[in-house]
Amino acid sequence: QQPVQSPQAVILREGEDAVINCSSSKALYSVHWYRQKHGEAPVFLMILLKGGEQKGHDKISASFNEKKQQSSLYLTASQLSYSGTYFCGTEGDDYKLSFGAGTTVTVRA
Amino acid sequence: KAGVTQTPRYLIKTRGQQVTLSCSPISGHRSVSWYQQTPGQGLQFLFEYFSETQRNKGNFPGRFSGRQFSNSRSEMNVSTLELGDSALYLCASSPGQGHSGNTIYFGEGSWLTVV
């Protein structure tokens, strides 16, 4: 089952903040966040594991609420390079990594 | 170290034909997953292979198949192509399989157009 991401799209000015949410209907083992720029491969940003461990990008932060099966990605003081489509991937007991439909972020000067 | 390599990058096929896509994972990675990406649908999981065995499968018809070789390289095959199979097919590799907390790394994908 695909996780649900919100919002579908967001437009920011440089320096502004944004939050991207990801929710799942199943119990989760891990949440993965990726960013994809047009015509390129998705690039790893962060992984959050059940139990609190996190690995990833030092300029991007995220949270994982295991009880609510939700994760949020926080884009702080956004830069032009933050533009792209952000995907969350969720892994449950079925060992499958399922991705949401994506959130398109546009950062303008 | 070299990233995930996918070939071919672009291809055009006719309805009814079949296609084989290839993926070479990062050296040392034993898990390879395949995803289909279409506008608005995000990344749809096709299957995952680990040590030559299919460990997991998504909700795609039997026309979609794959395999993994002893050197961890993987191929996916789509038979009897339909117009709706037009998509970007992404391969991703990882050191371990699910529930291992490992990062997966994507290749640049193979763009398939079915006419």
Side-chain angles (χ1 to χ4, degrees), chain B residues 43-59:
Chain B
L43 297 156
Q44 302 283 323
F45 174 77
L46 281 155
F47 25 66
E48 179 193 4
Y49 287 87
F50 182 82
S51 294
E52 300 179 68
T53 302
Q54 187 180 89
R55 296 290 178 169
N56 233 321
K57 192 175 187 312
N59 298 322

PDB file of all heavy atoms in Angstrom, chain B residues 43-59:
ATOM      1  N   LEU B  43       6.472   6.207  -7.582  1.00  0.00           N
ATOM      2  CA  LEU B  43       7.292   5.016  -7.812  1.00  0.00           C
ATOM      3  C   LEU B  43       6.513   3.784  -7.388  1.00  0.00           C
ATOM      4  O   LEU B  43       6.180   3.623  -6.226  1.00  0.00           O
ATOM      5  CB  LEU B  43       8.588   5.120  -6.993  1.00  0.00           C
ATOM      6  CG  LEU B  43       9.508   6.276  -7.350  1.00  0.00           C
ATOM      7  CD1 LEU B  43      10.395   6.657  -6.182  1.00  0.00           C
ATOM      8  CD2 LEU B  43      10.361   5.890  -8.535  1.00  0.00           C
ATOM      9  N   GLN B  44       6.244   2.919  -8.343  1.00  0.00           N
ATOM     10  CA  GLN B  44       5.499   1.700  -8.053  1.00  0.00           C
ATOM     11  C   GLN B  44       6.486   0.530  -7.983  1.00  0.00           C
ATOM     12  O   GLN B  44       7.216   0.271  -8.934  1.00  0.00           O
ATOM     13  CB  GLN B  44       4.464   1.436  -9.154  1.00  0.00           C
ATOM     14  CG  GLN B  44       3.471   2.570  -9.350  1.00  0.00           C
ATOM     15  CD  GLN B  44       2.417   2.579  -8.291  1.00  0.00           C
ATOM     16  OE1 GLN B  44       1.969   1.539  -7.838  1.00  0.00           O
ATOM     17  NE2 GLN B  44       2.013   3.778  -7.873  1.00  0.00           N
ATOM     18  N   PHE B  45       6.447  -0.183  -6.861  1.00  0.00           N
ATOM     19  CA  PHE B  45       7.373  -1.291  -6.643  1.00  0.00           C
ATOM     20  C   PHE B  45       7.030  -2.469  -7.542  1.00  0.00           C
ATOM     21  O   PHE B  45       5.886  -2.917  -7.593  1.00  0.00           O
ATOM     22  CB  PHE B  45       7.297  -1.699  -5.165  1.00  0.00           C
ATOM     23  CG  PHE B  45       8.079  -2.921  -4.804  1.00  0.00           C
ATOM     24  CD1 PHE B  45       9.457  -2.871  -4.661  1.00  0.00           C
ATOM     25  CD2 PHE B  45       7.431  -4.128  -4.586  1.00  0.00           C
ATOM     26  CE1 PHE B  45      10.180  -3.999  -4.311  1.00  0.00           C
ATOM     27  CE2 PHE B  45       8.144  -5.263  -4.233  1.00  0.00           C
ATOM     28  CZ  PHE B  45       9.521  -5.191  -4.093  1.00  0.00           C
ATOM     29  N   LEU B  46       8.045  -2.975  -8.241  1.00  0.00           N
ATOM     30  CA  LEU B  46       7.858  -4.144  -9.111  1.00  0.00           C
ATOM     31  C   LEU B  46       8.297  -5.414  -8.400  1.00  0.00           C
ATOM     32  O   LEU B  46       7.516  -6.328  -8.200  1.00  0.00           O
ATOM     33  CB  LEU B  46       8.657  -3.965 -10.401  1.00  0.00           C
ATOM     34  CG  LEU B  46       8.021  -3.059 -11.446  1.00  0.00           C
ATOM     35  CD1 LEU B  46       9.066  -2.463 -12.362  1.00  0.00           C
ATOM     36  CD2 LEU B  46       6.990  -3.835 -12.257  1.00  0.00           C
ATOM     37  N   PHE B  47       9.563  -5.510  -8.075  1.00  0.00           N
ATOM     38  CA  PHE B  47      10.090  -6.666  -7.344  1.00  0.00           C
ATOM     39  C   PHE B  47      11.461  -6.361  -6.783  1.00  0.00           C
ATOM     40  O   PHE B  47      12.113  -5.400  -7.159  1.00  0.00           O
ATOM     41  CB  PHE B  47      10.165  -7.944  -8.205  1.00  0.00           C
ATOM     42  CG  PHE B  47      10.261  -7.747  -9.690  1.00  0.00           C
ATOM     43  CD1 PHE B  47      11.366  -7.171 -10.277  1.00  0.00           C
ATOM     44  CD2 PHE B  47       9.210  -8.156 -10.501  1.00  0.00           C
ATOM     45  CE1 PHE B  47      11.447  -6.989 -11.635  1.00  0.00           C
ATOM     46  CE2 PHE B  47       9.277  -7.978 -11.880  1.00  0.00           C
ATOM     47  CZ  PHE B  47      10.400  -7.398 -12.447  1.00  0.00           C
ATOM     48  N   GLU B  48      11.871  -7.241  -5.841  1.00  0.00           N
ATOM     49  CA  GLU B  48      13.189  -7.140  -5.232  1.00  0.00           C
ATOM     50  C   GLU B  48      13.867  -8.500  -5.308  1.00  0.00           C
ATOM     51  O   GLU B  48      13.239  -9.535  -5.069  1.00  0.00           O
ATOM     52  CB  GLU B  48      13.108  -6.711  -3.761  1.00  0.00           C
ATOM     53  CG  GLU B  48      14.485  -6.637  -3.106  1.00  0.00           C
ATOM     54  CD  GLU B  48      14.438  -6.519  -1.592  1.00  0.00           C
ATOM     55  OE1 GLU B  48      13.350  -6.567  -1.009  1.00  0.00           O
ATOM     56  OE2 GLU B  48      15.528  -6.390  -0.998  1.00  0.00           O
ATOM     57  N   TYR B  49      15.146  -8.477  -5.643  1.00  0.00           N
ATOM     58  CA  TYR B  49      15.948  -9.690  -5.664  1.00  0.00           C
ATOM     59  C   TYR B  49      17.096  -9.560  -4.688  1.00  0.00           C
ATOM     60  O   TYR B  49      17.683  -8.482  -4.525  1.00  0.00           O
ATOM     61  CB  TYR B  49      16.505  -9.956  -7.068  1.00  0.00           C
ATOM     62  CG  TYR B  49      15.454 -10.440  -8.020  1.00  0.00           C
ATOM     63  CD1 TYR B  49      14.668  -9.534  -8.729  1.00  0.00           C
ATOM     64  CD2 TYR B  49      15.204 -11.801  -8.180  1.00  0.00           C
ATOM     65  CE1 TYR B  49      13.675  -9.971  -9.578  1.00  0.00           C
ATOM     66  CE2 TYR B  49      14.203 -12.245  -9.025  1.00  0.00           C
ATOM     67  CZ  TYR B  49      13.445 -11.321  -9.719  1.00  0.00           C
ATOM     68  OH  TYR B  49      12.448 -11.755 -10.556  1.00  0.00           O
ATOM     69  N   PHE B  50      17.386 -10.648  -4.023  1.00  0.00           N
ATOM     70  CA  PHE B  50      18.519 -10.704  -3.108  1.00  0.00           C
ATOM     71  C   PHE B  50      19.166 -12.062  -3.264  1.00  0.00           C
ATOM     72  O   PHE B  50      18.497 -13.088  -3.138  1.00  0.00           O
ATOM     73  CB  PHE B  50      18.071 -10.486  -1.659  1.00  0.00           C
ATOM     74  CG  PHE B  50      19.188 -10.472  -0.658  1.00  0.00           C
ATOM     75  CD1 PHE B  50      19.934  -9.326  -0.453  1.00  0.00           C
ATOM     76  CD2 PHE B  50      19.494 -11.609   0.079  1.00  0.00           C
ATOM     77  CE1 PHE B  50      20.971  -9.299   0.468  1.00  0.00           C
ATOM     78  CE2 PHE B  50      20.528 -11.592   1.000  1.00  0.00           C
ATOM     79  CZ  PHE B  50      21.266 -10.445   1.189  1.00  0.00           C
ATOM     80  N   SER B  51      20.459 -12.059  -3.542  1.00  0.00           N
ATOM     81  CA  SER B  51      21.186 -13.317  -3.751  1.00  0.00           C
ATOM     82  C   SER B  51      20.463 -14.243  -4.706  1.00  0.00           C
ATOM     83  O   SER B  51      20.238 -15.423  -4.408  1.00  0.00           O
ATOM     84  CB  SER B  51      21.411 -14.034  -2.400  1.00  0.00           C
ATOM     85  OG  SER B  51      22.271 -13.280  -1.594  1.00  0.00           O
ATOM     86  N   GLU B  52      20.079 -13.707  -5.839  1.00  0.00           N
ATOM     87  CA  GLU B  52      19.478 -14.441  -6.963  1.00  0.00           C
ATOM     88  C   GLU B  52      18.051 -14.922  -6.709  1.00  0.00           C
ATOM     89  O   GLU B  52      17.475 -15.623  -7.545  1.00  0.00           O
ATOM     90  CB  GLU B  52      20.357 -15.643  -7.364  1.00  0.00           C
ATOM     91  CG  GLU B  52      21.762 -15.239  -7.789  1.00  0.00           C
ATOM     92  CD  GLU B  52      22.611 -16.447  -8.159  1.00  0.00           C
ATOM     93  OE1 GLU B  52      22.305 -17.081  -9.177  1.00  0.00           O
ATOM     94  OE2 GLU B  52      23.570 -16.739  -7.409  1.00  0.00           O
ATOM     95  N   THR B  53      17.474 -14.569  -5.572  1.00  0.00           N
ATOM     96  CA  THR B  53      16.114 -15.019  -5.243  1.00  0.00           C
ATOM     97  C   THR B  53      15.178 -13.822  -5.198  1.00  0.00           C
ATOM     98  O   THR B  53      15.522 -12.786  -4.633  1.00  0.00           O
ATOM     99  CB  THR B  53      16.111 -15.751  -3.886  1.00  0.00           C
ATOM    100  OG1 THR B  53      17.012 -16.842  -3.944  1.00  0.00           O
ATOM    101  CG2 THR B  53      14.711 -16.235  -3.533  1.00  0.00           C
ATOM    102  N   GLN B  54      14.000 -13.986  -5.766  1.00  0.00           N
ATOM    103  CA  GLN B  54      13.002 -12.917  -5.658  1.00  0.00           C
ATOM    104  C   GLN B  54      12.449 -12.936  -4.246  1.00  0.00           C
ATOM    105  O   GLN B  54      11.828 -13.906  -3.810  1.00  0.00           O
ATOM    106  CB  GLN B  54      11.874 -13.123  -6.671  1.00  0.00           C
ATOM    107  CG  GLN B  54      10.915 -11.939  -6.711  1.00  0.00           C
ATOM    108  CD  GLN B  54       9.783 -12.139  -7.714  1.00  0.00           C
ATOM    109  OE1 GLN B  54       8.742 -12.689  -7.390  1.00  0.00           O
ATOM    110  NE2 GLN B  54       9.984 -11.687  -8.933  1.00  0.00           N
ATOM    111  N   ARG B  55      12.638 -11.803  -3.524  1.00  0.00           N
ATOM    112  CA  ARG B  55      12.224 -11.742  -2.121  1.00  0.00           C
ATOM    113  C   ARG B  55      10.863 -11.103  -1.957  1.00  0.00           C
ATOM    114  O   ARG B  55      10.199 -11.295  -0.949  1.00  0.00           O
ATOM    115  CB  ARG B  55      13.248 -10.930  -1.319  1.00  0.00           C
ATOM    116  CG  ARG B  55      14.624 -11.557  -1.268  1.00  0.00           C
ATOM    117  CD  ARG B  55      14.660 -12.819  -0.436  1.00  0.00           C
ATOM    118  NE  ARG B  55      15.965 -13.437  -0.432  1.00  0.00           N
ATOM    119  CZ  ARG B  55      16.310 -14.421   0.365  1.00  0.00           C
ATOM    120  NH1 ARG B  55      15.444 -14.917   1.236  1.00  0.00           N
ATOM    121  NH2 ARG B  55      17.518 -14.937   0.299  1.00  0.00           N
ATOM    122  N   ASN B  56      10.486 -10.299  -2.947  1.00  0.00           N
ATOM    123  CA  ASN B  56       9.252  -9.553  -2.803  1.00  0.00           C
ATOM    124  C   ASN B  56       8.743  -9.161  -4.176  1.00  0.00           C
ATOM    125  O   ASN B  56       9.547  -8.985  -5.115  1.00  0.00           O
ATOM    126  CB  ASN B  56       9.496  -8.281  -1.981  1.00  0.00           C
ATOM    127  CG  ASN B  56       8.543  -8.166  -0.822  1.00  0.00           C
ATOM    128  OD1 ASN B  56       7.364  -8.503  -0.946  1.00  0.00           O
ATOM    129  ND2 ASN B  56       9.033  -7.697   0.298  1.00  0.00           N
ATOM    130  N   LYS B  57       7.441  -9.019  -4.283  1.00  0.00           N
ATOM    131  CA  LYS B  57       6.862  -8.696  -5.575  1.00  0.00           C
ATOM    132  C   LYS B  57       5.735  -7.701  -5.386  1.00  0.00           C
ATOM    133  O   LYS B  57       4.961  -7.801  -4.428  1.00  0.00           O
ATOM    134  CB  LYS B  57       6.315  -9.981  -6.202  1.00  0.00           C
ATOM    135  CG  LYS B  57       5.936  -9.876  -7.660  1.00  0.00           C
ATOM    136  CD  LYS B  57       5.521 -11.254  -8.184  1.00  0.00           C
ATOM    137  CE  LYS B  57       5.292 -11.269  -9.685  1.00  0.00           C
ATOM    138  NZ  LYS B  57       4.465 -10.185 -10.207  1.00  0.00           N
ATOM    139  N   GLY B  58       5.625  -6.754  -6.289  1.00  0.00           N
ATOM    140  CA  GLY B  58       4.541  -5.784  -6.258  1.00  0.00           C
ATOM    141  C   GLY B  58       3.330  -6.305  -7.004  1.00  0.00           C
ATOM    142  O   GLY B  58       3.275  -7.460  -7.425  1.00  0.00           O
ATOM    143  N   ASN B  59       2.345  -5.417  -7.172  1.00  0.00           N
ATOM    144  CA  ASN B  59       1.082  -5.812  -7.800  1.00  0.00           C
ATOM    145  C   ASN B  59       1.091  -5.535  -9.301  1.00  0.00           C
ATOM    146  O   ASN B  59       0.347  -4.705  -9.793  1.00  0.00           O
ATOM    147  CB  ASN B  59      -0.083  -5.074  -7.143  1.00  0.00           C
ATOM    148  CG  ASN B  59      -0.204  -5.432  -5.679  1.00  0.00           C
ATOM    149  OD1 ASN B  59       0.009  -6.567  -5.293  1.00  0.00           O
ATOM    150  ND2 ASN B  59      -0.528  -4.437  -4.871  1.00  0.00           N
TER     151      ASN B  59
END
